[in-house]
Amino acid sequence: MSSKLDYLFEVRSVSKSYGSTQALSDVTFTLMPGETVAVIGQNGAGKSTFAKIIAGSIQPDEGEIYVKSCRVTLFPPKNALRYGIAFIPQELAYVPKLTVAENVMLGRIPNRKGFISYKEMIKRTKHEAKRFGLNIDPLRKMSSLKLADKQIVEILKALSRRASVILLDEPTASLSDNESKNLFRIIGKLAREEKVGIVYISHRMDEVFNFSDRIDVFRNGRLVASEQTATSDHEKLIAHMLGKQREQITLEKFEYPSANPALSVLNWSSRGLPSLSNVTFNVKEKEVVSIFGVRGCGAEIVAEGLVGLQKEIEGEIILEGKKRRIFRNPLEAKKANVAYVPADRKKQGLVLKLSIRKNATLPILRLLSNLGLMNSLEERKTAEKYTSRFNTKCQSIEQNVSELSGGNQQKVLLAGRLAMNPKVLVLQEPSRGVDIGARLEIHKQLKEFASEGTAILVVTSDVEEAVNISDRLLVMRDGALVGELKGEKISQDEVLRLASGNFQKNGGVIK
Ligand SMILES: Nc1ncnc2c1ncn2[C@@H]1O[C@H](COP(=O)(O)OP(=O)(O)OP(=O)(O)O)[C@@H](O)[C@H]1O
Ligand SMILES: [Mg+2]
């Protein structure tokens, strides 16, 4: 029988501020062996700050941390690791050029008489993988793996270091349903069989309910609620997150006449992976159309094709009545007034070391400086107008984007694209990493924006998002469009039925 003193770690009254931002206030938290805790909260609530403190990446201003009843300093990460705490951040820190085995053993490559014993390394990696029923080739280059597998390798790395605590910051944000379930299968096994303590941050309420023992809620830097999952409920948790009852926002669905589509995609095919076959659809002025499909279904290729990022597609587009060839590069798309919000905001969307003002106005710089002079007043006004539409949490628009929480970065990205006032706006996973409140707000803003004339195409693997936002919803499977739903006909069940090829979706809980 374990007593309270057997905790893996305990954080007592920890606080952290950045200038005038109190990121974390007086947080006390205990993790027991084998316990899985889900951490939820709005964007900017302090979740990542909390995780970074436990991972030793930042030092708290105040408070104490204990591991097995001894007071410890977890900073820097090397120290946290020594105390058995492994952190898997959302932006994975692997070495792309090395193999899986080299990454798993990084820093501890077994050495025999001055030589690295690759054999030993591979044997150990295989052994670790086998323990978790994972089928990963230790000799594959890290860069060639799918994101989900990269994440699994990071977990293997943590495990092979005999971590007793694994922290994950939004591990499933970019994973498909099945990949997420697989990740939680492994995590569940670790907790049950090895008594590893797990803390993970998530914005996905369904997974939080299916895969945790306890749910802790952060709001404005404070830990405001800690509930046993079995006895908690959705609305109660959301009320803790928001500090009030949730407003219900139901967005109206419109049917637009078929004349005058702003954009038509005609007979798109490609042989890449995944391949596209005969994809044809259109988006009308003022309309929000989404393409729903599991990640890897081909919808992301369509989005990229529309903004000049896919060169292998055959087919045509019609933009504002004119037939033209598919854009060869992003500049062509931009010139045609087609704007894009990529799925990977850090790599493609934002310049992290620039201010919010710069990021929100970069896409339209040429418009604002038409006399060769930068009108910084205009720039500020535009940045303020669009970032405030999304309630971006920041100190001022002069703050660097790198200092914003993940969800707030996403809002800056959206603001910049809307400021372009595009004819067509293509978005992938627009509310990824965004909290439940902000998500509805983003949907509402996109709808409003559409009503002002922009044709909007949303590519998403999030069924709730697709159902909520679309006037018309297309379902894609294996590179082909397999169904279309409009207005009242749009429902989660119907979408999932189409996406899975008529089979009932497997909603089984794996834990
Ligand atoms: N390096 C930094 N400099 C200045 N402010 C920061 C820094 N890191 C975080 N903050 C601020 O601290 C607050 C908490 O941020 P944190 O990243 O912990 O939020 P979060 O709960 O993880 O949000 P999200 O769900 O959007 O990822 C935010 O207001 C953020 O802008
Ligand atoms: Mg975060």
Side-chain angles (χ1 to χ4, degrees):
M1 188 74 202
S2 66
S3 85
K4 182 87 177 56
L5 287 176
D6 293 333
Y7 58 74
L8 291 167
F9 72 84
E10 185 162 271
V11 162
R12 295 185 198 160
S13 295
V14 157
S15 301
K16 169 79 191 168
S17 64
Y18 292 102
S20 61
T21 307
Q22 190 70 40
L24 216 58
S25 314
D26 197 15
V27 168
T28 294
F29 179 105
T30 309
L31 186 71
M32 299 301 289
E35 194 175 29
T36 300
V37 179
V39 169
I40 64 172
Q42 285 186 276
N43 296 131
K47 304 177 297 296
S48 294
T49 306
F50 171 69
K52 284 180 197 158
I53 286 175
I54 303 168
S57 341
I58 53 177
Q59 227 165 350
D61 302 332
E62 282 169 62
E64 294 164 7
I65 304 171
Y66 292 81
V67 170
K68 300 200 189 337
S69 307
C70 296
R71 186 162 175 196
V72 298
T73 303
L74 296 177
F75 182 86
K78 191 165 86 218
N79 256 353
L81 251 177
R82 231 182 43 207
Y83 290 112
I85 300 175
F87 180 42
I88 300 168
Q90 201 179 345
E91 282 79 39
L92 302 177
Y94 58 88
V95 187
K97 278 192 281 196
L98 297 183
T99 62
V100 168
E102 285 164 327
N103 268 282
V104 169
M105 294 293 155
L106 204 64
R108 303 160 305 143
I109 295 173
N111 207 319
R112 194 176 286 160
K113 290 187 201 138
F115 293 103
I116 295 166
S117 162
Y118 277 100
K119 244 183 163 167
E120 177 67 19
M121 193 167 73
I122 288 157
K123 203 175 105 199
R124 296 239 302 248
T125 306
K126 270 195 180 142
H127 173 75
E128 293 296 338
K130 202 164 149 220
R131 270 172 69 210
F132 295 96
L134 293 171
N135 198 5
I136 281 188
D137 177 359
L139 290 172
R140 280 274 294 273
K141 273 236 172 70
M142 218 34 200
S143 55
S144 73
L145 295 184
K146 286 197 309 183
L147 183 66
D149 290 338
K150 287 176 182 157
Q151 227 143 7
I152 302 280
V153 173
E154 293 286 304
I155 293 187
L156 270 186
K157 188 157 110 190
L159 290 177
S160 67
R161 282 165 201 216
R162 302 281 170 254
S164 53
V165 173
I166 298 187
L167 289 169
L168 303 108
D169 194 351
E170 297 191 38
T172 58
S174 318
L175 302 188
S176 71
D177 264 15
N178 275 336
E179 288 166 343
S180 303
K181 280 188 184 143
N182 194 33
L183 182 70
F184 281 110
R185 181 183 63 76
I186 294 165
I187 288 176
K189 194 166 166 190
L190 272 174
R192 268 191 323 270
E193 292 176 10
E194 320 243 331
K195 295 287 165 225
V196 170
I198 312 273
V199 181
Y200 73 94
I201 298 172
S202 176
H203 287 294
R204 294 191 179 174
M205 295 302 277
D206 52 341
E207 81 186 13
V208 161
F209 272 102
N210 281 333
F211 306 105
S212 70
D213 304 312
R214 193 176 101 201
I215 303 173
D216 282 10
V217 189
F218 281 68
R219 189 173 75 239
N220 290 332
R222 294 182 179 275
L223 207 171
V224 293
S226 182
E227 305 222 348
Q228 292 304 311
T229 310
T231 53
S232 188
D233 74 70
H234 203 95
E235 285 308 315
K236 201 156 78 178
L237 287 173
I238 289 175
H240 284 309
M241 266 173 77
L242 305 180
K244 58 175 188 197
Q245 251 9 72
R246 170 159 61 152
E247 274 174 65
Q248 291 297 343
I249 306 181
T250 325
L251 299 171
E252 256 188 277
K253 308 208 174 292
F254 297 101
E255 282 200 33
Y256 293 93
S258 54
N260 202 23
L263 164 78
S264 305
V265 162
L266 297 178
N267 289 319
W268 279 21
S269 296
S270 79
R271 265 181 241 110
L273 254 182
S275 61
L276 296 180
S277 50
N278 269 324
V279 173
T280 297
F281 66 92
N282 62 38
V283 187
K284 288 150 207 160
E285 230 168 66
K286 303 192 177 186
E287 193 181 32
V288 180
V289 172
S290 62
I291 306 183
F292 168 81
V294 297
R295 290 188 63 73
C297 71
E300 54 276 58
I301 309 272
V302 174
E304 288 176 5
L306 283 170
V307 292
L309 291 168
Q310 283 283 342
K311 303 201 167 53
E312 309 296 314
I313 300 174
E314 284 162 35
E316 283 167 328
I317 56 175
I318 304 178
L319 256 185
E320 297 181 81
K322 273 186 241 126
K323 207 178 236 190
R324 49 185 302 168
R325 65 177 165 79
I326 298 173
F327 301 125
R328 291 249 171 80
N329 55 57
L331 194 64
E332 274 186 26
K334 200 171 156 190
K335 278 191 183 143
N337 219 353
V338 178
Y340 181 47
V341 173
D344 187 345
R345 61 177 171 258
K346 294 234 164 107
K347 286 214 193 83
Q348 300 172 8
L350 293 166
V351 187
L352 292 178
K353 52 181 198 291
L354 291 183
S355 65
I356 297 172
R357 171 167 60 89
K358 283 282 180 216
N359 269 284
T361 53
L362 264 181
I364 50 160
L365 271 190
R366 233 173 313 133
L367 277 178
L368 292 178
S369 61
N370 48 5
L371 291 173
L373 287 171
M374 179 67 74
N375 186 338
S376 71
L377 183 68
E378 274 304 300
E379 203 182 275
R380 213 173 57 227
K381 274 209 301 228
T382 308
E384 256 159 17
K385 177 170 152 204
Y386 287 94
T387 47
S388 67
R389 262 180 96 153
F390 291 110
N391 264 325
T392 311
K393 190 178 171 195
C394 58
Q395 283 166 0
S396 83
I397 59 164
E398 300 306 329
Q399 198 175 3
N400 272 4
V401 165
S402 61
E403 294 181 359
L404 298 184
S405 78
N408 283 300
Q409 292 180 354
Q410 179 72 358
K411 295 181 195 174
V412 173
L413 175 60
L414 288 167
R417 297 312 187 266
L418 293 190
M420 288 169 76
N421 203 4
K423 198 72 215 154
V424 176
L425 176 60
V426 180
L427 308 102
Q428 287 213 57
E429 314 285 350
S431 58
R432 169 180 297 166
V434 161
D435 70 59
I436 279 191
R439 204 174 139 86
L440 294 179
E441 196 53 41
I442 286 176
H443 289 170
K444 201 168 115 206
Q445 289 297 335
L446 287 176
K447 275 289 234 209
E448 230 173 276
F449 214 76
S451 75
E452 291 160 23
T454 301
I456 295 190
L457 177 70
V458 176
V459 164
T460 180
S461 56
D462 180 329
V463 67
E464 228 180 85
E465 170 158 274
V467 167
N468 194 37
I469 203 172
S470 315
D471 295 314
R472 197 148 52 89
L473 195 161
L474 308 168
V475 179
M476 185 168 247
R477 181 159 43 89
D478 297 335
L481 290 176
V482 293
E484 172 178 294
L485 300 168
K486 286 185 216 173
E488 299 291 294
K489 294 260 162 55
I490 299 178
S491 76
Q492 207 155 318
D493 286 350
E494 195 52 24
V495 175
L496 291 175
R497 193 183 64 77
L498 286 166
S500 62
N502 287 329
F503 298 117
Q504 197 51 47
K505 203 175 152 52
N506 170 20
V509 175
I510 296 162
K511 196 167 183 184

